[in-house]
Amino acid sequence: MTDVTPRALDARLAARLTPAVAMRAVSPATRDDASDAAISAVAVRTEQLDAMYGGVAAVRSATLTFTPGRVTAIIGPSGCGKSTLLRCINRLHETQPAARVRGAVFVDGRDVYAAGTDVVAVRRSIGFVAQRPTPFPSMNIRENVVAGLRVAGIRVSGTELEDRVEAVLQRTGLWDEVSDRLDSDPMSLSGGQQQRLCLARALAPEPRVLLLDEPTAALDPGSTQRIEELVYLLRGEVTTIIVTHNMQQAARVSDITAFMLEGELIEQAPTRVLFTAPSDARTELYLTGRFG
Amino acid sequence: MSAPTYPTARTMSSAERPPRSNARGDRWVGWGDRIYGALITACALAIPLLLVLVAAIIARSAWPAVSTVGAELVTGTTWDVPRGQFGALPAILGTLASSLLSLIIATPLALGVAIFVSELAPPAIRRPFAFLVDVLAAIPSVVYGLWALYVLVPFLREVVMPFLGDTLGLGALPLFKGPAYGPSLLAASLVLSIMILPYIAAVARELLQAVPRSQREAALALGATRWEMVRDAVLPYARSGLVGAAILGLGRALGETMAVTMVIGNRHELPSSLFQPAYTMASLLANEFNEASGALHVSALMAVAGILLAITLIVNAIARWLVWRMEART
Amino acid sequence: MSALAAPSRVQRTERMARRRRMGSFMTVVVWCAALLSVVPLILIAAHLIIGGARVLSPTFFTALPAPPGVSGGGVANGVAGTLVLLGIASVIGMPIGLGAGLYLAEHGRTRLATIVRYLSDVLSGLPSIVVGIFAWELIVRPSGQFSALAGGFALGMIMIPLVARATEEMVRLVPVALREAALALGFTRWRSSLQIVLRTALPGIVTAALVAVARVAGETAPLLFTAFGTPFWSLRLDRPIAALPLQIYNYATSPYDDWRAQAWGGALVLIALVLVISIIARRVTRSRFGAATGGARGD
């Protein structure tokens, strides 16, 4: 019989995260269950995370675990802190003036906020796609795709680089559309193509975590569908966290959904469970459209 | 097996809290960032440094004259280099008089231009007209001087001055007294007003365009005519900024050198009549600095530069503050 | 009818008519002010073209100034000298202005940035003749001679606040999301600032820098005691150098008729130079910058 109390489950997940946390939380009785099939994607876990703008706390004491290789959606009304939480994971939140973060974020067992951590290395290992397409206007399409590799100083031969560009553009479904104009201005692409280019740019350095901040909010339904399909296909290789204000989208693409309200995590559950039988009354109110 | 339950924040007791790390925003990381940060900070600090250096160097060089001549510098009316008399009052007053006069002439016109461009002009001519005014601002001072010297001054001497003085009989008033010299306070003020007009107009135009739509619509909704909207909603909203724009123009006029030097007549006398030649501090510097004889003369000119600097800095500081306050509000 | 009663229809229409008349009157006044303001521009343009056309010839651009009484002569050394001075000014003014502008854009609302921003506005209001005297005291007096370097320094100092504020404005037009995308991809801050943000804003900054060059190209007062001018051909940086505005000033205030005529030609060339730089500046903006920021906003 497996112990399925929250605490035990927490401990099992923790065992994959960090020896320190495991030592602290795992009891001998539950240790065996901790070993899952080996997955290249890594787990992400936030612990007691507070994020502030000036004196205002946008995220309060958020503790969440993101299962390796799965897609987790974070939903909630606007202003609930879901984007801020996401931006804490790759330490992007703190780049804003007067922003502050307290707490811990474990990626592959290491606290990215620990003293001496190389912030740039953390960001390089995590892919990020923003709400609006952000291709670099000063670079052509090819340069955009390899920007992450270039900046990391990864040296690959010309043909290998071309292969990588092709592979990642194939995955994002852009290859057929742009293969004949890789040297042209990314601004000539449509909004949906630009966003897929950004996705390709984020995937090119082969991150093991992918953060999507409302990636389809500015797109038409067709482009949205293509991005959602891609997110589905990435399952298993990348731990994906997607923030969305669109509940249908969360239901379509995610395995697990977390619901946030006013900076706090209200509940996290397998998507089907959360949408059909939420355990918290506030989640139900939100899902039925009575606030937010 | 039942569906796993997922942890929430509340499932963790305080005893289990991990050690908290802290990350504050906006830091520079690594050598590249530090070098870059230091470089741009150095560039930024060059601006205050230059200002302090200007003030310090001019103060140091002016000191011999200030200690020798003393208050005579700003109260004395005689500037006689061979006799060692350095009274700059005529130049100081000439600067103030020509600048204020030009401001009086240019401000209403500049305001008219700003209102025209931002409110009343037909959309088709708005941009071309604004472009023309911008071109006016791009003409170098020395070209204005050239034109004023050979076109404006003769016109004033032959036509305007006789008309004002004799035909209208204004010659009896002290302001229009004296023979019709061409180069005069009037000529300098006119050319200055042409020069500062586009400058005031440009700042004023931006301020008027910054007045929120809601202000205009509120006035129109109350049944105001287009002019009443400008008068009652737009202008009052931008008032302090417009005053600042005018004072910015004044700051420009105070320091303007070439055009003024070419048409003001350069005479060391207290300005009394618009028709008489006068002097300004900037012209004094332009004319005498290269031919300065003796250390005291150079130092006295430095003192004049210091006075000019102080006046323009104060005027500019006030003007910028007024414009900023207006911009901060919108 | 009591005094408190609503105004009659007649009274109302009369008042409305008065308000309308006032409106049309003020419209006429504003039109007049606007037209009056561009009259000097038209007059100056006409006189420049008439006066300048008289002396303009191919030799005017290739010859050195002629002594009074000798016909011909040109402004070749003045044009070359002005270009040298602008080059020195750009080397000094642009990097510092660019760096200061980046600082102001990066540090936004901090106290130091606010002070620097304010002081850069104050610096741009400094009388140019005072800048010339400062450069004289700082460079000419210690070195014992007038020089192109001193003139270029004075012009460069005038450029700094112009370039700084323009750079700040252009960098601020680049969406924050673009900077964040670069950071998230693993760019260090300096690389995201220079390789992404600055490069995106570059066309706008180039335009602003060219406008600053055009603005100082016609400056005369700062050169009086620094570049000083010379009737000879010289491009040495440590010697006095000719400058077009100085030549115009000297010719215009001279007692010789043929020199005065040359002043008009010089003025026409100077204006043409300023306009050409301004037009290039506008073209840079139109061709690239619109596309860059328009698209980067993602609509």
Side-chain angles (χ1 to χ4, degrees):
Chain A
M1 181 67 203
T2 319
D3 183 0
V4 288
T5 59
R7 199 172 145 188
L9 190 99
D10 197 35
R12 271 190 291 150
L13 289 167
R16 275 209 300 273
L17 298 169
T18 157
V21 173
M23 291 291 273
R24 195 164 61 234
V26 177
S27 61
T30 59
R31 191 157 232 181
D32 295 338
D33 308 317
S35 52
D36 259 1
I39 296 177
S40 69
V42 297
V44 175
R45 178 178 163 76
T46 69
E47 274 184 25
Q48 303 286 299
L49 191 74
D50 296 330
M52 283 147 285
Y53 288 102
V56 185
V59 174
R60 274 189 300 243
S61 196
T63 297
L64 272 108
T65 299
F66 300 96
T67 318
R70 297 291 164 84
V71 179
T72 305
I74 306 178
I75 60 168
S78 46
C80 70
K82 53 191 193 297
S83 280
T84 307
L85 175 68
L86 191 78
R87 293 155 57 90
C88 285
I89 294 171
N90 65 347
R91 298 193 62 170
L92 204 53
H93 174 66
E94 70 203 70
T95 60
Q96 290 153 297
R100 264 185 82 180
V101 180
R102 230 165 42 199
V105 174
F106 293 96
V107 175
D108 199 15
R110 296 169 74 172
D111 180 5
V112 301
Y113 284 96
T117 306
D118 180 357
V119 184
V120 173
V122 168
R123 295 198 187 118
R124 276 178 193 162
S125 66
I126 299 175
F128 177 81
V129 176
Q131 187 171 351
R132 299 204 152 226
T134 52
F136 301 137
S138 52
M139 300 179 180
N140 63 29
I141 292 173
R142 180 190 286 106
E143 287 165 345
N144 260 286
V145 174
V146 299
L149 297 171
R150 279 273 156 74
V151 80
I154 297 170
R155 300 209 180 282
V156 283
S157 68
T159 49
E160 201 191 327
L161 197 70
E162 287 301 308
D163 290 348
R164 274 224 197 179
V165 169
E166 182 178 346
V168 77
L169 286 176
Q170 289 278 16
R171 296 188 74 178
T172 48
L174 264 178
W175 181 249
D176 295 336
E177 294 161 44
V178 302
S179 60
D180 54 338
R181 47 177 174 147
L182 291 176
D183 294 318
S184 60
D185 186 354
M187 292 304 161
S188 64
L189 301 176
S190 74
Q193 288 173 323
Q194 287 186 16
Q195 190 67 311
R196 278 183 285 145
L197 178 62
C198 291
L199 200 49
R201 187 177 65 189
L203 290 173
E206 292 171 353
R208 291 184 296 169
V209 179
L210 181 62
L211 309 178
L212 306 170
D213 187 2
E214 303 202 27
T216 62
L219 303 185
D220 58 279
S223 304
T224 302
Q225 193 193 343
R226 306 193 72 150
I227 299 229
E228 287 181 2
E229 282 165 7
L230 183 65
V231 169
Y232 189 86
L233 289 174
L234 287 170
R235 196 173 308 248
E237 306 170 32
V238 184
T239 308
T240 304
I241 306 168
I242 177 170
V243 162
T244 177
H245 64 263
N246 180 334
M247 283 180 272
Q248 283 73 36
Q249 181 169 66
R252 284 194 298 267
V253 303
S254 70
D255 306 302
I256 299 146
T257 298
F259 172 62
M260 284 182 74
L261 190 62
E262 287 168 3
E264 287 182 36
L265 174 68
I266 303 301
E267 77 175 286
Q268 184 188 23
T271 301
R272 207 184 317 143
V273 175
L274 187 122
F275 275 86
T276 52
S279 60
D280 193 293
R282 289 167 293 180
T283 313
E284 189 171 0
L285 282 174
Y286 177 72
L287 292 174
T288 51
R290 261 167 283 176
F291 62 67
Chain B
M1 213 169 78
S2 63
T5 326
Y6 282 79
T8 66
R10 262 153 235 165
T11 58
M12 245 189 170
S13 74
S14 57
E16 289 172 299
R17 289 192 167 201
R20 297 194 141 195
S21 49
N22 247 308
R24 272 167 189 284
D26 228 18
R27 289 174 318 170
W28 301 98
V29 220
W31 280 109
D33 276 8
R34 278 193 206 122
I35 292 169
Y36 172 73
L39 269 178
I40 62 172
T41 309
C43 289
L45 291 178
I47 288 170
L49 185 76
L50 272 175
L51 275 174
V52 169
L53 212 57
V54 168
I57 277 191
I58 287 181
R60 192 195 65 186
S61 308
W63 179 245
V66 173
S67 57
T68 319
V69 185
E72 184 78 11
L73 260 172
V74 287
T75 57
T77 56
T78 316
W79 184 277
D80 191 334
V81 179
R83 283 206 241 139
Q85 283 184 294
F86 297 104
L89 188 62
I92 297 172
L93 289 183
T95 301
L96 294 177
S98 59
S99 303
L100 287 172
L101 264 172
S102 69
L103 191 66
I104 291 169
I105 301 167
T107 305
L109 288 172
L111 206 56
V113 168
I115 294 174
F116 182 75
V117 172
S118 78
E119 313 289 333
L120 298 181
I125 65 168
R126 238 166 240 207
R127 284 177 67 106
F129 189 86
F131 174 73
L132 280 187
V133 177
D134 286 345
V135 170
L136 209 52
I139 297 175
S141 170
V142 69
V143 175
Y144 275 112
L146 175 71
W147 175 78
L149 187 57
Y150 292 110
V151 180
L152 184 65
V153 166
F155 177 69
L156 289 178
R157 188 175 52 223
E158 312 297 339
V159 182
V160 177
M161 288 178 174
F163 175 75
L164 289 175
D166 304 333
T167 316
L168 291 185
L170 291 174
L173 298 170
L175 199 57
F176 300 96
K177 199 179 58 192
Y181 285 100
S184 57
L185 187 58
L186 180 64
S189 304
L190 280 178
V191 71
L192 273 180
S193 65
I194 297 172
M195 294 175 72
I196 64 173
L197 187 151
Y199 193 66
I200 301 176
V203 181
R205 183 179 72 203
E206 267 171 36
L207 290 169
L208 293 188
Q209 282 168 349
V211 173
R213 241 187 126 70
S214 56
Q215 294 278 326
R216 297 159 200 273
E217 282 168 357
L220 289 177
L222 286 172
T225 63
R226 206 158 174 76
W227 163 250
E228 285 166 341
M229 175 198 82
V230 172
R231 188 193 59 192
D232 298 333
V234 177
L235 292 182
Y237 193 88
R239 193 175 52 215
S240 72
L242 292 174
V243 173
I247 302 179
L248 277 182
L250 179 65
R252 251 285 117 139
L254 288 169
E256 188 45 60
T257 312
M258 302 319 295
V260 175
T261 307
M262 289 163 88
V263 300
I264 200 167
N266 300 326
R267 187 192 282 178
H268 278 294
E269 268 172 32
L270 288 176
S272 56
S273 161
L274 285 177
F275 290 2
Q276 296 293 309
Y279 224 148
T280 69
M281 289 185 272
S283 316
L284 182 60
L285 295 171
N287 283 325
E288 293 196 3
F289 199 79
N290 272 339
E291 282 96 50
S293 50
L296 191 61
H297 190 188
V298 172
S299 179
L301 289 170
M302 285 286 182
V304 171
I307 297 167
L308 177 60
L309 179 67
I311 295 177
T312 42
L313 284 188
I314 292 168
V315 165
N316 272 320
I318 295 171
R320 288 290 172 198
W321 182 70
L322 286 171
V323 173
W324 275 36
R325 214 178 47 168
M326 154 84 192
E327 279 169 354
R329 204 176 41 170
T330 49
Chain C
M1 245 211 274
S2 81
L4 286 172
S8 71
R9 246 184 77 188
V10 178
Q11 280 171 317
R12 267 208 311 256
T13 27
E14 231 171 59
R15 196 176 302 159
M16 196 59 223
R18 207 166 57 231
R19 285 170 55 195
R20 286 245 168 75
R21 274 200 303 279
M22 185 65 188
S24 356
F25 173 71
M26 287 315 295
T27 307
V28 171
V29 168
V30 166
W31 269 86
C32 288
L35 294 181
L36 189 60
S37 304
V38 290
V39 166
L41 178 67
I42 295 159
L43 288 176
I44 291 171
H47 283 109
L48 268 180
I49 291 166
I50 295 167
R54 237 178 274 152
V55 292
L56 278 195
S57 67
T59 49
F60 191 73
F61 294 94
T62 56
L64 292 178
V70 179
S71 66
V75 291
N77 60 342
V79 173
T82 288
L83 294 178
V84 169
L85 287 169
L86 291 180
I88 302 170
S90 303
V91 166
I92 294 169
M94 283 190 192
I96 298 179
L98 192 68
L102 283 170
Y103 179 90
L104 292 177
E106 297 257 359
H107 294 269
R109 293 178 183 278
T110 60
R111 183 175 301 173
L112 183 62
T114 309
I115 293 172
V116 168
R117 196 174 294 122
Y118 184 76
L119 290 181
S120 103
D121 280 355
V122 170
L123 185 64
S124 70
L126 217 58
S128 57
I129 188 131
V130 172
V131 175
I133 285 179
F134 173 66
W136 180 85
E137 185 75 49
L138 199 69
I139 300 175
V140 176
R141 192 182 223 179
S143 69
Q145 65 180 337
F146 300 109
S147 62
L149 215 56
F153 171 80
L155 296 184
M157 197 171 143
I158 296 172
M159 279 176 71
I160 291 173
L162 303 175
V163 176
R165 291 308 303 275
T167 301
E168 184 194 359
E169 267 174 41
M170 292 302 149
V171 167
R172 275 172 189 275
L173 283 181
V174 177
V176 180
L178 208 60
R179 175 191 295 268
E180 290 187 341
L183 289 175
L185 211 53
F187 280 69
T188 52
R189 245 180 104 164
W190 71 273
R191 287 184 83 162
S192 83
S193 287
L194 294 182
Q195 292 186 334
I196 303 299
V197 178
L198 185 63
R199 273 191 64 183
T200 304
L202 202 57
I205 294 171
V206 168
T207 295
L210 283 174
V211 168
V213 170
R215 162 87 171 30
V216 299
E219 283 286 355
T220 317
L223 303 180
L224 288 171
F225 328 125
T226 52
F228 194 70
T230 164
F232 308 112
W233 181 267
S234 166
L235 295 180
R236 283 188 61 168
L237 301 187
D238 59 343
R239 288 289 143 86
I241 195 167
L244 204 45
L246 283 176
Q247 280 179 342
I248 297 168
Y249 177 61
N250 289 332
Y251 283 172
T253 52
S254 79
Y256 315 111
D257 281 339
D258 41 354
W259 272 19
R260 291 179 180 183
Q262 297 253 314
W264 287 101
L268 193 57
V269 174
L270 180 61
I271 291 269
L273 185 72
V274 170
L275 283 185
V276 165
I277 299 174
S278 309
I279 289 168
I280 294 172
R282 275 169 192 264
R283 290 195 69 126
V284 172
T285 317
R286 206 170 304 152
S287 60
R288 285 197 51 208
F289 196 51
T293 45
R297 263 180 251 118
D299 353 68

